[in-house]
Amino acid sequence: MAKRSKKSGQGHGYVGEKHTAEKLQTLGSEYKVLNGRHVKARTGAQEIDHLIVGPNGIFHIETKNWEGRIRFTDKGAERGDGHQEDPTALLYRHEYVLKELLRGNKLNADVVGILCFSNPHCELNGSAPAFVTVKLDGLVQAIQSHKSKHALSSEEVRTIVKLLQDHSTPSQSA
């Protein structure tokens, strides 16, 4: 698989993120979508492929445009070619930064990590143990069907979106 340069905006990853951004446009007006953001909190920063804020929480999405068979093991995701990678490590870091930002601003919301596989030629066996794992065609349903512990009002959604915008910049691939 070709590794893409963030500055070039080329490669498989960029294509997957673009397809995911297009799919997220179908969520509905109660959801606000921020694509490709470099989010900064007090103790660190993370590049997040997609952030969605809606009445049922904040969703941070890591998009993978992998193809072939993807099997989840105790070491992460293993592709059919034997390549092992742990994309959940990224999701843990994203979640830490987002929760820290919320705490520091005395805001409360569900923070939900989603690992989205955007390539139509992938086959998932299992799922990430701590995060929602979906193919692109199931992404919108996964977001809309999440049952929040703390529902957000439209004002809270606007406040959180503004907070995220104030503490982030567009990533180089956006």
Side-chain angles (χ1 to χ4, degrees), residues 7 16 20 32-33 38-39 45 67-68 70-71 76 83 87 92 95 97 101 107 109-110 116 121 125 130 136 143 151:
K7 292 186 185 231
T20 301
K32 304 303 175 206
V33 178
H38 188 79
V39 180
E67 61 183 22
I70 300 153
R71 185 172 68 93
H83 178 83
Y92 280 114
E95 193 153 311
V97 166
L101 192 56
L107 294 168
D110 282 11
C116 178
H121 304 291
N125 288 344
L136 185 57
I143 293 168

Short mmCIF file of all heavy atoms in Angstrom, two decimals, residues 7 16 20 32-33 38-39 45 67-68 70-71 76 83 87 92 95 97 101 107 109-110 116 121 125 130 136 143 151:
data_model
loop_
_atom_site.label_atom_id
_atom_site.label_comp_id
_atom_site.label_asym_id
_atom_site.label_seq_id
_atom_site.Cartn_x
_atom_site.Cartn_y
_atom_site.Cartn_z
N LYS A 7 1.12 16.49 2.67
CA LYS A 7 1.12 17.71 1.86
C LYS A 7 0.63 17.47 0.45
O LYS A 7 0.02 18.32 -0.15
CB LYS A 7 2.50 18.34 1.85
CG LYS A 7 2.88 18.88 3.21
CD LYS A 7 4.17 19.63 3.16
CE LYS A 7 4.55 20.03 4.56
NZ LYS A 7 4.86 21.37 4.74
N GLY A 16 -9.79 7.61 0.89
CA GLY A 16 -10.70 7.09 1.92
C GLY A 16 -11.29 8.19 2.77
O GLY A 16 -12.50 8.18 3.07
N THR A 20 -15.25 9.25 3.09
CA THR A 20 -15.88 9.33 4.40
C THR A 20 -16.51 10.70 4.60
O THR A 20 -17.65 10.81 5.07
CB THR A 20 -14.87 9.01 5.51
OG1 THR A 20 -14.34 7.70 5.28
CG2 THR A 20 -15.50 9.07 6.88
N LYS A 32 -22.96 18.46 13.19
CA LYS A 32 -21.96 19.35 12.61
C LYS A 32 -20.70 18.53 12.37
O LYS A 32 -20.24 17.81 13.26
CB LYS A 32 -21.65 20.53 13.55
CG LYS A 32 -22.88 21.33 13.95
CD LYS A 32 -23.62 21.87 12.76
CE LYS A 32 -24.90 22.56 13.15
NZ LYS A 32 -25.92 22.58 12.13
N VAL A 33 -20.16 18.64 11.16
CA VAL A 33 -19.02 17.83 10.75
C VAL A 33 -17.80 18.71 10.55
O VAL A 33 -17.87 19.74 9.87
CB VAL A 33 -19.33 17.07 9.44
CG1 VAL A 33 -18.13 16.25 8.98
CG2 VAL A 33 -20.57 16.18 9.61
N HIS A 38 -6.53 19.33 13.28
CA HIS A 38 -5.40 19.15 14.20
C HIS A 38 -5.85 19.80 15.51
O HIS A 38 -5.85 21.02 15.63
CB HIS A 38 -4.14 19.82 13.63
CG HIS A 38 -2.91 19.53 14.41
ND1 HIS A 38 -2.22 18.34 14.29
CD2 HIS A 38 -2.26 20.26 15.34
CE1 HIS A 38 -1.19 18.37 15.11
NE2 HIS A 38 -1.19 19.51 15.75
N VAL A 39 -6.28 18.98 16.47
CA VAL A 39 -6.90 19.46 17.71
C VAL A 39 -5.85 19.54 18.81
O VAL A 39 -5.09 18.60 19.02
CB VAL A 39 -8.05 18.53 18.15
CG1 VAL A 39 -8.68 19.02 19.45
CG2 VAL A 39 -9.09 18.41 17.05
N ALA A 45 -1.67 17.28 21.27
CA ALA A 45 -2.45 17.58 20.07
C ALA A 45 -2.56 16.31 19.24
O ALA A 45 -1.68 15.45 19.30
CB ALA A 45 -1.79 18.69 19.26
N GLU A 67 -7.80 -2.56 2.00
CA GLU A 67 -8.60 -3.54 1.26
C GLU A 67 -8.19 -4.93 1.70
O GLU A 67 -7.18 -5.12 2.38
CB GLU A 67 -8.44 -3.36 -0.24
CG GLU A 67 -7.04 -3.54 -0.75
CD GLU A 67 -6.95 -3.27 -2.25
OE1 GLU A 67 -7.80 -2.58 -2.81
OE2 GLU A 67 -5.99 -3.79 -2.85
N GLY A 68 -9.00 -5.91 1.31
CA GLY A 68 -8.71 -7.29 1.67
C GLY A 68 -9.29 -7.63 3.03
O GLY A 68 -10.08 -6.89 3.61
N ILE A 70 -9.42 -8.03 6.91
CA ILE A 70 -8.88 -7.36 8.09
C ILE A 70 -9.42 -8.10 9.30
O ILE A 70 -10.64 -8.21 9.49
CB ILE A 70 -9.29 -5.87 8.12
CG1 ILE A 70 -8.73 -5.17 6.88
CG2 ILE A 70 -8.78 -5.21 9.39
CD1 ILE A 70 -9.51 -3.98 6.44
N ARG A 71 -8.49 -8.62 10.10
CA ARG A 71 -8.87 -9.41 11.27
C ARG A 71 -8.34 -8.71 12.51
O ARG A 71 -7.20 -8.24 12.54
CB ARG A 71 -8.25 -10.80 11.15
CG ARG A 71 -8.67 -11.76 12.22
CD ARG A 71 -8.18 -13.17 11.91
NE ARG A 71 -6.74 -13.28 11.99
CZ ARG A 71 -6.08 -13.67 13.08
NH1 ARG A 71 -6.72 -13.96 14.17
NH2 ARG A 71 -4.77 -13.75 13.05
N GLY A 76 -4.05 -5.73 17.65
CA GLY A 76 -4.59 -4.71 16.75
C GLY A 76 -5.22 -5.34 15.53
O GLY A 76 -5.78 -6.43 15.60
N HIS A 83 0.43 -7.90 7.55
CA HIS A 83 0.80 -6.61 8.14
C HIS A 83 -0.07 -6.35 9.36
O HIS A 83 -1.29 -6.44 9.28
CB HIS A 83 0.63 -5.50 7.10
CG HIS A 83 0.94 -4.14 7.62
ND1 HIS A 83 2.22 -3.65 7.69
CD2 HIS A 83 0.14 -3.17 8.12
CE1 HIS A 83 2.19 -2.44 8.19
NE2 HIS A 83 0.95 -2.12 8.46
N PRO A 87 -4.62 0.65 14.80
CA PRO A 87 -5.25 1.96 14.63
C PRO A 87 -6.00 2.41 15.87
O PRO A 87 -6.29 3.59 16.03
CB PRO A 87 -6.19 1.76 13.45
CG PRO A 87 -6.44 0.31 13.36
CD PRO A 87 -5.22 -0.36 13.92
N TYR A 92 -7.42 6.06 20.93
CA TYR A 92 -7.22 6.33 22.36
C TYR A 92 -6.62 7.72 22.57
O TYR A 92 -7.03 8.47 23.45
CB TYR A 92 -6.33 5.28 23.02
CG TYR A 92 -7.04 3.99 23.36
CD1 TYR A 92 -6.69 2.81 22.72
CD2 TYR A 92 -8.04 3.94 24.33
CE1 TYR A 92 -7.33 1.61 23.03
CE2 TYR A 92 -8.68 2.75 24.65
CZ TYR A 92 -8.32 1.60 23.99
OH TYR A 92 -8.95 0.41 24.30
N GLU A 95 -9.21 10.41 21.79
CA GLU A 95 -10.20 10.49 22.87
C GLU A 95 -9.63 11.23 24.08
O GLU A 95 -10.32 12.03 24.70
CB GLU A 95 -10.65 9.09 23.26
CG GLU A 95 -11.87 9.10 24.13
CD GLU A 95 -12.70 7.84 23.99
OE1 GLU A 95 -13.00 7.43 22.86
OE2 GLU A 95 -13.03 7.29 25.04
N VAL A 97 -7.32 13.58 24.17
CA VAL A 97 -7.24 15.02 23.87
C VAL A 97 -8.63 15.65 23.89
O VAL A 97 -8.83 16.73 24.47
CB VAL A 97 -6.53 15.27 22.51
CG1 VAL A 97 -6.74 16.68 22.01
CG2 VAL A 97 -5.04 14.98 22.65
N LEU A 101 -9.98 18.47 26.62
CA LEU A 101 -10.50 19.76 26.15
C LEU A 101 -11.89 20.02 26.75
O LEU A 101 -12.17 21.13 27.22
CB LEU A 101 -10.56 19.76 24.63
CG LEU A 101 -10.80 21.07 23.92
CD1 LEU A 101 -9.78 22.13 24.30
CD2 LEU A 101 -10.78 20.85 22.41
N LEU A 107 -17.36 21.08 30.17
CA LEU A 107 -18.41 20.58 29.29
C LEU A 107 -18.52 19.06 29.43
O LEU A 107 -17.52 18.39 29.66
CB LEU A 107 -18.11 20.94 27.83
CG LEU A 107 -18.14 22.44 27.52
CD1 LEU A 107 -17.56 22.71 26.14
CD2 LEU A 107 -19.56 22.98 27.62
N ALA A 109 -20.06 15.58 27.54
CA ALA A 109 -20.65 14.95 26.36
C ALA A 109 -20.06 13.56 26.20
O ALA A 109 -18.92 13.31 26.60
CB ALA A 109 -20.35 15.78 25.11
N ASP A 110 -20.84 12.65 25.62
CA ASP A 110 -20.29 11.36 25.23
C ASP A 110 -19.22 11.59 24.18
O ASP A 110 -19.41 12.41 23.27
CB ASP A 110 -21.37 10.47 24.60
CG ASP A 110 -22.30 9.84 25.61
OD1 ASP A 110 -22.27 10.24 26.79
OD2 ASP A 110 -23.07 8.95 25.22
N CYS A 116 -13.38 3.52 10.94
CA CYS A 116 -14.16 3.37 9.71
C CYS A 116 -13.27 2.87 8.57
O CYS A 116 -12.26 3.50 8.25
CB CYS A 116 -14.80 4.70 9.33
SG CYS A 116 -15.74 4.65 7.80
N HIS A 121 -13.65 -2.87 -0.86
CA HIS A 121 -13.06 -4.19 -1.06
C HIS A 121 -12.36 -4.69 0.20
O HIS A 121 -11.34 -5.36 0.12
CB HIS A 121 -12.09 -4.18 -2.24
CG HIS A 121 -12.72 -3.69 -3.50
ND1 HIS A 121 -13.69 -4.40 -4.19
CD2 HIS A 121 -12.56 -2.54 -4.19
CE1 HIS A 121 -14.08 -3.71 -5.25
NE2 HIS A 121 -13.41 -2.58 -5.26
N ASN A 125 -13.24 -8.99 9.96
CA ASN A 125 -13.43 -10.15 10.84
C ASN A 125 -13.22 -9.66 12.26
O ASN A 125 -12.09 -9.40 12.66
CB ASN A 125 -12.44 -11.27 10.52
CG ASN A 125 -12.76 -11.96 9.22
OD1 ASN A 125 -13.84 -11.81 8.69
ND2 ASN A 125 -11.80 -12.73 8.71
N ALA A 130 -12.56 -1.65 21.96
CA ALA A 130 -13.04 -0.48 22.70
C ALA A 130 -13.73 0.56 21.83
O ALA A 130 -14.21 1.58 22.35
CB ALA A 130 -11.88 0.16 23.44
N LEU A 136 -17.72 1.80 5.60
CA LEU A 136 -18.27 3.11 5.27
C LEU A 136 -19.79 3.11 5.16
O LEU A 136 -20.45 4.03 5.63
CB LEU A 136 -17.63 3.63 3.98
CG LEU A 136 -18.01 5.04 3.56
CD1 LEU A 136 -17.70 6.06 4.64
CD2 LEU A 136 -17.29 5.40 2.26
N ILE A 143 -23.51 6.31 13.87
CA ILE A 143 -23.56 7.60 14.57
C ILE A 143 -24.98 7.89 15.03
O ILE A 143 -25.22 8.21 16.20
CB ILE A 143 -23.02 8.72 13.65
CG1 ILE A 143 -21.53 8.52 13.40
CG2 ILE A 143 -23.31 10.10 14.26
CD1 ILE A 143 -20.95 9.39 12.30
N ALA A 151 -27.63 13.68 26.52
CA ALA A 151 -28.08 14.32 25.27
C ALA A 151 -27.65 15.78 25.26
O ALA A 151 -27.68 16.46 26.30
CB ALA A 151 -29.59 14.21 25.14
#
